[in-house]
Amino acid sequence: METNFYEQYLKSQPPWLLLLLAIGFFKLFATSATILNWVRVNFLRPAKDLKKYGSWALVTGPTDGIGKAIAFRLADKGLNLVLVGRNPEKLRGVSDWIRAEFGRTQIKTVVVDFAGDLDDGVRRIRAAIEGLDVGVLVNNVGVCYPYPKFFHEVDEKLMAELIRVNVEGTTKVTQAVVPGMLRRKTGAIVNIGSGTALVIPSAPLHAVYAATKAYIDQFTRCLYVEYKRHGIDVQCQVPLYVATKMISMRKSSFLIPSPDGYAKAALRWIGYDGNCTPYWPHTLQLAFIHCLPDSFVDAWRFNAMLQYRKRAQLKESLKKRDS
């Protein structure tokens, strides 16, 4: 009798109501699955053994910020390092610091000015890694605006540097390292992107920088598909704000991690998704931003950058006056 009652009840309901109930149930199921997967990948999924890719890692831009922290964490995992940067004194300082912490770590340094003679620099990188099983490549080197600027205010020198370092640097270093990974049929490539290009709908007053990071994202997506079957994992990591010189912020917080806090999360994601945001509080920010209309986010970002620009210009004018 009870079964017949429910059958009759359902048959008496209009089709549109049953459709809404079905859609609601499906949406609830999908949302629950998304939340459970988020918990799994951020807290339960084990990090990969990076030494299985090879005994050496190459890191560009390793003398400060995220690059320096990642280099330290890679050494902690037992990998030897090829450190590539433009300042020989800073490279030596980082090398000495890592050796003091991890006495067995082998380190090679290559001095490359990514804004200068890049082709010569890449030739020296090829020579330095000859015979090494470089299993992990971290393309971290990058430059940004000194402060927010309208596009017409970006001079040719800065524009050329942004494209040369952010686009050509990552592209050519990757091309130098991939052949060795192909021969060994294994490797992991990590390209550091930016939330400026991939999270918010636009990046006013950072147009060229954001465009270079959008290139990094698409470059990574293509290589992910091209080389997955060859055992090479290619990944674009998309951090939001990290307490580094690039954002003129040194104090970390829950939403703005220290470079080491970000690096710790970053290593746990290597070898998994082709595109990711490793630091889990950043994913909460992303979820919130995606709930807002693009027009609201654009207006908020534009006004914030105008204020930042105003303060930077005032500071610059006072510095010129005092000098």
Side-chain angles (χ1 to χ4, degrees), residues 89-131:
E89 291 184 3
K90 287 186 176 181
L91 283 172
R92 187 162 48 250
V94 172
S95 300
D96 291 344
W97 174 56
I98 292 175
R99 288 193 184 101
E101 290 286 334
F102 311 101
R104 296 183 179 180
T105 303
Q106 299 180 57
I107 302 177
K108 285 191 172 190
T109 59
V110 186
V111 179
V112 176
D113 182 359
F114 284 86
D117 190 348
L118 185 56
D119 290 337
D120 179 64
V122 171
R123 279 194 292 271
R124 282 184 278 114
I125 291 173
R126 290 181 190 273
I129 65 175
E130 183 69 30

Side-chain angles (χ1 to χ4, degrees), residues 61-77:
T63 58
D64 202 0
I66 291 174
K68 183 177 180 179
I70 286 179
F72 184 95
R73 287 283 174 180
L74 288 170
D76 187 36
K77 296 295 183 182

Side-chain angles (χ1 to χ4, degrees), residues 130-265:
E130 183 69 30
L132 302 182
D133 58 335
V134 177
V136 178
L137 166 63
V138 181
N139 282 309
N140 167 74
V141 69
V143 295
C144 190
Y145 292 14
Y147 61 85
K149 294 173 179 266
F150 284 95
F151 174 65
H152 71 273
E153 297 173 333
V154 179
D155 59 64
E156 289 188 13
K157 181 177 181 297
L158 175 57
M159 190 180 301
E161 187 173 335
L162 285 161
I163 295 171
R164 194 159 184 77
V165 177
N166 296 0
V167 174
E168 289 190 52
T170 294
T171 304
K172 291 186 175 181
V173 171
T174 303
Q175 195 171 46
V177 175
V178 162
M181 293 180 173
L182 280 172
R183 285 193 298 271
R184 295 187 306 275
K185 297 185 181 347
T186 187
I189 298 171
V190 179
N191 298 324
I192 304 298
S194 171
T196 302
L198 306 174
V199 175
I200 55 179
S202 69
L205 279 67
H206 283 92
V208 181
Y209 171 76
T212 63
K213 289 300 183 177
Y215 168 88
I216 296 301
D217 174 62
Q218 186 65 3
F219 177 64
T220 304
R221 290 175 187 270
C222 295
L223 297 192
Y224 175 85
V225 176
E226 288 182 32
Y227 293 109
K228 188 69 176 176
R229 64 191 179 94
H230 295 286
I232 302 174
D233 297 316
V234 189
Q235 180 180 83
C236 181
Q237 294 195 357
V238 187
L240 301 188
Y241 285 135
V242 178
T244 65
K245 285 182 179 178
M246 185 171 284
I247 65 168
S248 301
M249 186 178 295
R250 289 307 184 109
K251 188 176 181 180
S252 60
S253 64
F254 175 69
L255 293 177
I256 304 176
S258 66
D260 185 63
Y262 176 81
K264 183 178 180 181

